[in-house]
Amino acid sequence: MSLWLKVWAPASIGNVGPGFDVLGMAVKEFGDAVSVHRSDHRGIRIVEIEGAEGLPLDPRENTAGIAAQEVLRLTKRSVGIELRLKKGVPGSGLGSSAASAVAAAFAVNELLGRPLDKTILLRAALEAEYHVSGARFLDNVGASLYGGVVVADPLRREVLPLGTVSRAVIVLLTPAKKVSTRLARQVLPKKVPLQGAISNLSKACQIVAAVAQNDVALFGASIQDFLIEPHRARLIPGFQRVKTAALQAGALGCAISGAGSTIFAVCGGHPQGARVGLAMRRAFPAEASFTITSIDSHGARRIA
Amino acid sequence: MSLWLKVWAPASIGNVGPGFDVLGMAVKEFGDAVSVHRSDHRGIRIVEIEGAEGLPLDPRENTAGIAAQEVLRLTKRSVGIELRLKKGVPGSGLGSSAASAVAAAFAVNELLGRPLDKTILLRAALEAEYHVSGARFLDNVGASLYGGVVVADPLRREVLPLGTVSRAVIVLLTPAKKVSTRLARQVLPKKVPLQGAISNLSKACQIVAAVAQNDVALFGASIQDFLIEPHRARLIPGFQRVKTAALQAGALGCAISGAGSTIFAVCGGHPQGARVGLAMRRAFPAEASFTITSIDSHGARRIA
């Protein structure tokens, strides 16, 4: 029997602050793992899914399975691969399906001797997401694959990795109640105020500059969204209270992670992070847990 | 008689590509000069304006005069200063009044022994612009003061200097016919498509990353505007032809400078810049001149 090879891909925050559909950021602590090995039966077979219920084992209906098949298709290899998926991203809004797709694409590519580079793996994972969700979350997929903070270019389906903010402490508040990404898309208007777009443009540019300068104060202060948050905040009852509590407890910035319901805050250090996490959980009116972590700067990687 | 002190402030491109009201960039070759010296009569007196007709000598109606007075007000100095202004920014869309305001504020501050830092000089120049034009062009004023590429933050009235793209060759096509900034504001809608805002967000973030990485190819390719250009292009008959000609001649990117009528292109080198400049002028249906220059990385400075 051939050996199993194991890959891990981090969870990620999409729509970072002002960067709707554009800025993504990988976080440590959570992620999905995919193990693969060669088998005698041609094609992809998912033999086990751990850590989540109700996910289809059929590789044509599972982001990991589709991403794995896409890598086979792109490399024109007709081999057999068995795949085990271990889900490790809690709640919603942390790029769970992106992590699965990225881990699977990366793992199959490793097993085949790395015929594809990351720009192609990105597209394989992106197509998998699209098949399952009907949308391409380039910011999540890119962050999970490359690590650090990334700029997604939806027009070119490419991602620009920016690096990390080494001192940034990221606090994640994960409500038990999830938000449907599909619903979160539906509440968005087709048109937005030009003034809001200008404000988001300025803050998003400052986030990129903050990463380039490794400046956590500027990074946190630029986590401000004038376009999307007003619409999506109502999908997370208690969001405004949590945000206010986070900022009052010393967070540099606070916003919805992806489409929610996860809320994230950026802090400048660890004792502050703990205070902010407690304050956020206390302010949230329903069940939620908090996690203190930091930016994952490596992205998808082989761990066994 | 006291000695004259002379300051030069560069012309600038506002609204750089996708960064409406946010990204500014100083350019060499053109700029305004302000000379000042102490006099016995309290207050600001403009004794000469060279290089432009019809500008008021009354310091309360002239951006240079207002900026100079604002510096006196902020420093609470009741001295007398005589000011000479030499205009050197052609056409419209290159931050001509911003250059005057910046040069005057900078010059008076030098004469007083530098009591104010640049964040305050920025506001003095900004107020001067506001008095005369009714709007605050933070991207132009910031670029002219700091040099290089800047991110303007309209909410905080601050500017973040990013540095320069050393290899970028900037081609300026300056039509003889100007565009009124006021009219150019009037043609803008209050609301813009969310998809366009996302595209601009991505491209603006990539411009900031390009400056951080000193990457002229990424910088030029990111000069794309999906929000404003469709509305303002009609104010510059021939714009589309000029843009197409620039890109076909090898420009990496091409867009309206500020509110126009100046059009700028970014090239990766000098022989290319000359080809692009000729192609742009040939494509423009009316009188225009072109200039090949580069990013001014110093901003306002004392030259005598």
Side-chain angles (χ1 to χ4, degrees):
Chain A
M1 189 182 136
S2 67
L3 286 173
W4 288 86
L5 173 161
K6 193 172 183 179
V7 162
W8 187 83
S12 58
I13 296 169
N15 307 330
V16 175
F20 181 68
D21 269 2
V22 168
L23 291 173
M25 169 164 85
V27 291
K28 290 178 180 167
E29 191 80 16
F30 302 123
D32 284 1
V34 164
S35 302
V36 288
H37 80 157
R38 298 285 282 265
S39 84
D40 296 334
H41 306 285
R42 263 179 58 181
I44 302 290
R45 205 160 67 100
I46 302 178
V47 292
E48 190 187 353
I49 299 180
E50 193 189 329
E53 282 171 22
L55 287 181
L57 281 173
D58 184 338
R60 293 165 302 182
E61 294 174 18
N62 178 300
T63 49
I66 300 169
Q69 284 183 313
E70 190 67 10
V71 171
L72 287 191
R73 191 185 67 78
L74 289 166
T75 54
K76 299 186 176 110
R77 301 283 282 268
S78 58
V79 297
I81 292 175
E82 282 187 347
L83 189 154
R84 280 184 190 152
L85 171 61
K86 188 174 176 184
K87 300 289 296 176
V89 182
S92 64
L94 282 173
S96 175
S97 63
S100 291
V102 166
F106 197 97
V108 171
N109 193 49
E110 288 288 306
L111 195 66
L112 299 179
R114 290 187 210 165
L116 305 180
D117 67 19
K118 280 190 175 177
T119 60
I120 307 295
L121 290 182
L122 179 86
R123 292 185 186 190
L126 208 58
E127 289 315 302
E129 277 257 72
Y130 182 70
H131 267 81
V132 170
S133 71
R136 292 183 177 84
F137 300 110
L138 197 47
D139 45 354
N140 287 111
V141 170
S144 192
L145 179 61
Y146 287 95
V149 182
V150 301
V151 176
D153 189 326
L155 297 171
R156 300 198 301 168
R157 292 193 192 155
E158 287 178 9
V159 147
L160 182 66
L162 297 176
T164 190
V165 182
S166 51
R167 279 182 54 221
V169 170
I170 311 293
V171 182
L172 303 171
L173 183 84
T174 309
K177 190 179 170 194
K178 299 182 180 185
V179 161
S180 143
T181 304
R182 211 171 283 258
L183 176 64
R185 291 260 149 184
Q186 281 166 6
V187 302
L188 297 182
K190 290 242 184 305
K191 289 201 165 191
V192 293
L194 177 57
Q195 280 307 317
I198 293 167
S199 299
N200 272 39
L201 272 171
S202 175
K203 297 298 181 189
C205 285
Q206 291 179 69
I207 285 184
V208 177
V211 179
Q213 298 165 13
N214 201 5
D215 180 340
V216 69
L218 179 63
F219 183 71
S222 305
I223 304 282
Q224 292 185 48
D225 173 21
F226 303 85
L227 291 182
I228 305 301
E229 190 175 290
H231 299 281
R232 287 190 165 172
R234 348 175 218 127
L235 301 180
I236 312 168
F239 169 74
Q240 283 303 341
R241 284 175 56 192
V242 169
K243 181 175 172 177
T244 303
L247 296 175
Q248 282 178 348
L252 301 166
C254 179
I256 299 170
S257 175
S261 60
T262 298
I263 302 166
F264 77 102
V266 175
C267 300
H270 263 291
Q272 200 181 45
R275 272 202 309 279
V276 167
L278 282 166
M280 289 170 78
R281 193 179 60 185
R282 240 183 261 126
F284 192 70
E287 192 191 339
S289 60
F290 75 90
T291 307
I292 298 165
T293 182
S294 55
I295 300 175
D296 177 284
S297 58
H298 299 292
R301 53 199 179 266
R302 186 170 172 178
I303 56 171
Chain B
M1 188 184 138
S2 66
L3 285 174
W4 288 87
L5 173 162
K6 191 171 183 180
V7 162
W8 187 83
S12 58
I13 295 169
N15 308 329
V16 176
F20 180 67
D21 268 3
V22 167
L23 291 173
M25 171 164 85
V27 290
K28 291 179 181 167
E29 190 79 17
F30 301 122
D32 283 1
V34 164
S35 303
V36 288
H37 80 156
R38 298 283 284 265
S39 85
D40 296 333
H41 305 283
R42 262 179 59 182
I44 302 291
R45 206 160 66 99
I46 302 178
V47 292
E48 189 186 356
I49 299 179
E50 192 188 330
E53 280 172 25
L55 286 181
L57 281 173
D58 185 338
R60 293 164 302 181
E61 294 174 19
N62 178 301
T63 49
I66 299 169
Q69 284 183 312
E70 191 66 11
V71 171
L72 287 190
R73 191 184 68 77
L74 289 166
T75 53
K76 298 184 175 108
R77 300 282 284 271
S78 59
V79 297
I81 292 175
E82 281 187 348
L83 190 152
R84 281 185 189 153
L85 171 60
K86 187 173 175 184
K87 301 288 295 176
V89 181
S92 64
L94 283 174
S96 175
S97 62
S100 291
V102 165
F106 196 98
V108 172
N109 192 50
E110 288 288 307
L111 194 66
L112 299 178
R114 290 189 212 165
L116 305 180
D117 67 18
K118 280 190 175 178
T119 60
I120 308 297
L121 290 183
L122 180 84
R123 291 183 189 191
L126 209 56
E127 289 315 303
E129 278 257 72
Y130 182 69
H131 266 81
V132 171
S133 71
R136 292 180 177 86
F137 300 110
L138 197 47
D139 45 354
N140 286 111
V141 170
S144 191
L145 179 60
Y146 287 96
V149 182
V150 300
V151 176
D153 189 327
L155 298 170
R156 301 199 300 169
R157 292 192 192 154
E158 287 176 11
V159 148
L160 182 67
L162 298 176
T164 190
V165 182
S166 51
R167 279 182 54 222
V169 170
I170 312 293
V171 182
L172 303 170
L173 182 84
T174 309
K177 190 179 171 195
K178 298 182 181 185
V179 161
S180 141
T181 305
R182 210 172 285 257
L183 175 66
R185 291 260 149 186
Q186 281 166 5
V187 300
L188 297 183
K190 291 240 181 309
K191 290 201 165 192
V192 293
L194 176 57
Q195 280 308 318
I198 293 168
S199 299
N200 271 40
L201 272 170
S202 175
K203 295 299 180 189
C205 284
Q206 292 179 69
I207 285 183
V208 177
V211 180
Q213 298 165 14
N214 200 7
D215 180 340
V216 68
L218 180 63
F219 183 72
S222 305
I223 304 281
Q224 292 185 47
D225 172 21
F226 303 86
L227 291 181
I228 305 302
E229 190 175 291
H231 299 281
R232 287 191 166 172
R234 345 175 222 128
L235 300 181
I236 310 168
F239 169 74
Q240 284 303 341
R241 283 176 56 193
V242 169
K243 181 175 171 177
T244 302
L247 297 174
Q248 282 179 346
L252 301 166
C254 178
I256 299 169
S257 176
S261 58
T262 297
I263 302 166
F264 77 102
V266 174
C267 300
H270 262 292
Q272 200 179 46
R275 270 201 309 277
V276 168
L278 282 166
M280 289 170 77
R281 193 179 60 186
R282 240 182 261 126
F284 192 71
E287 191 192 340
S289 60
F290 74 92
T291 308
I292 298 165
T293 181
S294 56
I295 300 175
D296 176 285
S297 58
H298 298 291
R301 52 197 179 266
R302 186 169 172 179
I303 55 170

